[in-house]
Amino acid sequence: MLNESDVLEVLDLLKSAGAAAWVDGGWGVDALLGKTTRIHSDLDLVVLLNQLDVVRDALVEAGFTEVLRDWLPSALAVADSAGREIDLHPIVGSSREGGQQLLPGGERFRYPAPVTGTIGGRQVPCVDAATQVRCHLGYEATDKDRQDMARLHAGTGVELPLDYMPTP
């Protein structure tokens, strides 16, 4: 499990190493809402593909040495000995303009430039609400996904697809 201080520590670590990273996934939803709404088992980060070696070196130095999934260039998930997990989503682009994540099968997913959210009272770069919704399409949603999307909709007004609309 990762708490707010873990997330901020990782972001500080990557910034100190000279790597851009912005928060995605469950922590990204919480950043947009400005509060922690649930327990998080991992931290999803959008990083620049051309900085991936710097990111990996910094994470290894911090103890994230176990590779859980290596689906590069699409994704890389690592963990430390405490079981804290980080799921990296490399993109080709920049933190100013966003970029494309190369997906299996040659498809691409567009991440716009980050917006500002809040974790632990501190502003952090994160994925915008509409992109958060797009990230939750194309697979069978879990209860956790549905709850995250419902909170995101309630907190930001972002439009949800029918599959995520609450049932009356």
Side-chain angles (χ1 to χ4, degrees), residues 18 31 38-39 45 55-56 59 67 73 75-76 78 91 94-95 99 103 107 122 138 144 147-148 153 161-163:
R38 65 173 174 86
I39 294 171
L45 293 175
V55 170
R56 289 179 81 173
L59 291 175
V67 175
L76 176 69
V78 296
I91 64 166
S94 74
S95 58
L103 300 176
E107 297 175 28
R122 195 171 101 196
K144 180 178 67 171
Q147 292 165 3
D148 280 351
H153 172 71
L162 288 177
D163 290 354

Side-chain angles (χ1 to χ4, degrees), residues 5-64:
S5 61
D6 293 326
V7 173
L8 296 174
E9 179 183 313
V10 169
L11 291 173
D12 288 345
L13 172 76
L14 296 179
K15 185 176 182 178
S16 292
W22 55 103
V23 184
D24 194 8
W27 275 112
V29 170
D30 281 1
L32 290 168
L33 298 176
K35 61 184 176 183
T36 302
T37 62
R38 65 173 174 86
I39 294 171
H40 296 273
S41 61
D42 69 351
L43 169 61
D44 293 281
L45 293 175
V46 176
V47 298
L48 302 177
L49 184 60
N50 65 357
Q51 295 179 345
L52 189 58
D53 288 341
V54 171
V55 170
R56 289 179 81 173
D57 289 347
L59 291 175
V60 165
E61 181 87 12
F64 290 88

Side-chain angles (χ1 to χ4, degrees), residues 96-139:
R96 281 195 175 149
E97 297 175 5
Q100 303 281 332
Q101 180 185 20
L102 308 173
L103 300 176
E107 297 175 28
R108 294 172 184 263
F109 184 85
R110 170 117 179 100
Y111 280 98
V115 297
T116 301
T118 305
I119 295 176
R122 195 171 101 196
Q123 291 188 334
V124 298
C126 64
V127 172
D128 69 276
T131 304
Q132 282 284 1
V133 172
R134 286 190 10 253
C135 288
H136 283 80
L137 301 177
Y139 66 91

